[in-house]
Amino acid sequence: MKCILHGGTVVTGGKQNNIIENGAVVWENNKILAVGDEKKLLNRFSDADRINANGGIIFPAFINAHHHIYSAFARGLSIPNNTPTNFLAVLEGTWWNIDRHLTNAMTRYSAYMTLIECIKAGVTTVFDHHASFGEITGSLSEIAEVSTELGIRSCLCYEISDRDGEQKAKESVIENVRFAKECESDKSGLLSSLCGMHASFTISEKTMAFAREQMNDGFHIHVCEGSYDRDDCERLYHESVISRLKRHDILGEKTICVHCVYLTDDDRQILADTNTAVVHNPQSNMGNAVSVTDVLKLFNSGVTVGLGTDGFTSDMLESMKHANVLIKHENKHPSVGWNETFDMALTNNALLASRHFNGEFGELKAGANADIIVSDYMPFTPLTKDNFSGHMLFGMNGRNIVTTVGNGKILMKNRELLTVDEEKIRFESQKQSKELWNILCGGA
């Protein structure tokens, strides 16, 4: 069935980033057929279902290159006697504590609430890094089922770690392998897989070798998020984390290294030479007080750098705003970081999506994937192709998104979710989160 989104200003994105006042976008199934003048396209595609943008701005949907669905039930949680003073204490007291008690039912509803928030913020593609050591087997399928139900494109992985023992580590590898096979038979086009790894300092040589033996088509791993990861690798293996990953043949075009706060120039060159992507998460780095990824050095080294949220939010505009000012702050220069912010969030995230899913992303043009959003943001200053980025960072936020189309399916229209009963899901999520909180806080 053909659909036409009209009655707004179209911003095409991509290198040209054209602006079409009184524009429209036409798509059929999951591919865009035409982008252009509203009157011409309404006449040309008179049989298409019409969706009115009501004067809003129509542009490409967002991609989140690193998320943590499993962290959803931490919102508002205060675990007794959990007052971390460093990043390792944050992991042990909060995140590892939570994931050790997550059941598949909790994972499922964490996925519902996180992906609902993604739709509301105009995100239609998510790279998620999952951990639920309370129940490992089948956990990725729980997320996948929710993702396909809601219409979100998801690249999923389970984080391998020896922190809870060798048996759990082995189960984690097996879950990645199992889900990768499941994706091979997926007909929705919404699912992809990577082999997840927590971080070098929680993965033994034996486990890393076993994971590489079982999976050979891309990894998703936290790298030098804190100095402890760097120092542990130097102490045990007398090499950098990046060098260790290269030795195990983990790096490559399909691999995502997240954070990369503590790197050497040699590390950055290895990443560039192997075409390995890095994903920056500015809010997380600040919130965990781990220092800051040197984004400019990564770009100058030729590394592909994407942008994620690391579970702090599902609003990519929030992450973009933080990325922009953090680069300026760290470099003590008010004019740097602008281009890099948009390259990360729009150009490079689209490139990462194209590496792991079929199709073209990040641009409204004939033949590209039909991932389209409408913002009700109404500029009170001129809006042009040259200043749209300024309007995004200093005018828009995720709550401006009123309509979201993912893979050609209307997921939200005029702020109403069309693929799920949000009230029913929220009610069940309250029950599941209370069960987890009772365990963590001593109530059960």
Side-chain angles (χ1 to χ4, degrees), residues 11 48 96 146 168 175 212 221 226 257 261 315 372 399 419 423 426 434:
V11 181
W96 296 350
V146 172
K168 292 277 188 180
E175 176 63 5
R212 181 61 184 84
I221 180 172
C257 291
V261 176
D315 186 342
I372 312 158
R399 293 185 180 276
T419 58
E423 184 177 354
R426 191 178 299 277
K434 284 179 181 177

Side-chain angles (χ1 to χ4, degrees), residues 22-219:
N22 301 313
V25 180
V26 184
W27 71 94
E28 185 173 23
N29 298 323
N30 66 339
K31 297 294 182 182
I32 294 174
L33 297 178
V35 180
D37 177 77
E38 176 183 22
K39 288 184 178 179
K40 291 180 179 179
L41 292 183
L42 284 172
N43 287 331
R44 179 181 166 191
F45 297 97
S46 58
D47 59 335
D49 282 357
R50 299 185 178 190
I51 302 133
N52 198 323
N54 298 312
I57 300 173
I58 304 166
F59 58 105
F62 294 113
I63 296 159
N64 188 336
H66 181 70
H67 212 336
H68 282 302
I69 281 171
Y70 85 90
S71 70
F73 288 169
R75 188 173 298 177
L77 172 64
S78 179
I79 301 172
N81 302 314
N82 180 34
T83 54
T85 58
N86 57 61
F87 180 53
L88 189 57
V90 171
L91 293 175
E92 292 175 336
T94 303
W95 303 119
W96 296 350
N97 197 1
I98 288 172
D99 77 53
R100 285 183 181 118
H101 297 97
L102 285 177
T103 64
N104 279 351
M106 294 173 185
T107 291
R108 185 178 191 86
Y109 283 92
S110 294
Y112 269 122
M113 295 318 303
T114 300
L115 296 180
I116 283 172
E117 290 194 335
C118 286
I119 293 170
K120 288 183 174 182
V123 175
T124 58
T125 302
V126 175
F127 290 75
D128 190 69
H129 196 278
H130 180 62
S132 57
F133 283 85
E135 192 168 5
I136 298 170
T137 303
S139 59
L140 294 181
S141 295
E142 295 288 343
I143 298 172
E145 287 177 12
V146 172
S147 181
T148 53
E149 178 186 345
L150 296 184
I152 290 285
R153 191 181 291 102
S154 296
C155 181
L156 306 179
C157 69
Y158 190 96
E159 74 167 38
I160 298 163
S161 174
D162 284 286
R163 63 179 179 259
D164 283 351
E166 188 174 325
Q167 182 57 38
K168 292 277 188 180
K170 186 176 181 180
E171 287 180 36
S172 303
V173 175
I174 293 170
E175 176 63 5
N176 280 298
V177 173
R178 185 199 65 76
F179 183 69
K181 291 179 179 177
E182 183 177 309
C183 286
E184 291 176 1
S185 60
D186 171 60
K187 303 298 184 184
S188 71
L190 296 175
L191 299 177
S192 181
S193 68
L194 286 169
C195 183
M197 291 182 166
H198 173 246
S200 174
F201 76 94
T202 69
I203 304 173
S204 68
E205 284 286 282
K206 180 179 179 181
T207 295
M208 190 169 285
F210 177 62
R212 181 61 184 84
E213 176 186 303
Q214 297 297 313
M215 299 281 288
N216 60 7
D217 195 25
F219 296 80

Side-chain angles (χ1 to χ4, degrees), residues 197-245:
M197 291 182 166
H198 173 246
S200 174
F201 76 94
T202 69
I203 304 173
S204 68
E205 284 286 282
K206 180 179 179 181
T207 295
M208 190 169 285
F210 177 62
R212 181 61 184 84
E213 176 186 303
Q214 297 297 313
M215 299 281 288
N216 60 7
D217 195 25
F219 296 80
H220 190 165
I221 180 172
H222 304 95
V223 173
C224 294
E225 182 174 2
S227 59
Y228 187 89
D229 194 26
R230 173 200 63 190
D231 297 345
D232 177 81
C233 197
E234 290 179 352
R235 177 177 59 85
L236 290 178
Y237 309 111
H238 310 292
E239 61 186 342
S240 72
V241 172
I242 293 297
S243 293
R244 185 184 181 212
L245 297 179

Side-chain angles (χ1 to χ4, degrees), residues 255-410:
T255 289
I256 295 172
C257 291
V258 187
H259 300 297
C260 292
V261 176
Y262 295 92
L263 297 186
T264 65
D265 289 341
D266 286 343
D267 290 335
R268 283 182 278 268
Q269 192 58 53
I270 290 171
L271 290 168
D273 291 344
T274 57
N275 204 17
T276 303
V278 169
V279 175
H280 179 41
N281 300 271
Q283 287 169 289
S284 174
N285 293 162
M286 288 187 284
N288 289 322
V290 295
S291 194
V292 181
T293 302
D294 197 325
V295 171
L296 297 186
K297 281 188 176 180
L298 285 167
F299 268 87
N300 290 337
S301 297
V303 179
T304 298
V305 188
L307 191 69
T309 64
D310 204 33
F312 264 62
T313 178
S314 292
D315 186 342
M316 285 301 296
L317 280 165
E318 274 193 36
S319 194
M320 291 171 68
K321 293 171 194 286
H322 283 82
N324 177 49
V325 296
L326 185 57
I327 296 171
K328 290 169 167 52
H329 176 77
E330 284 300 303
N331 287 277
K332 298 179 175 57
H333 195 311
S335 296
V336 299
W338 186 269
N339 291 335
E340 288 80 4
T341 294
F342 286 91
D343 283 344
M344 285 188 290
L346 306 183
T347 303
N348 292 344
N349 276 10
L351 174 61
L352 292 182
S354 70
R355 288 180 181 180
H356 297 276
F357 298 95
N358 291 325
E360 295 183 77
F361 299 86
E363 185 173 0
L364 303 183
K365 65 177 183 178
N369 285 72
D371 289 76
I372 312 158
I373 52 179
V374 179
S375 170
D376 67 2
Y377 170 71
M378 297 293 175
F380 52 82
T381 57
L383 188 150
T384 69
K385 62 179 293 183
D386 296 322
N387 73 8
F388 179 65
S389 55
H391 282 279
M392 287 184 76
L393 282 198
F394 297 109
M396 293 183 185
N397 59 57
R399 293 185 180 276
N400 286 125
I401 307 303
V402 293
T403 295
T404 300
V405 178
N407 202 43
K409 186 176 182 179
I410 303 169

Side-chain angles (χ1 to χ4, degrees), residues 109 420-430:
Y109 283 92
V420 67
D421 184 339
E422 183 181 3
E423 184 177 354
K424 179 180 178 181
I425 296 299
R426 191 178 299 277
F427 177 79
E428 185 60 34
S429 295
Q430 285 276 355

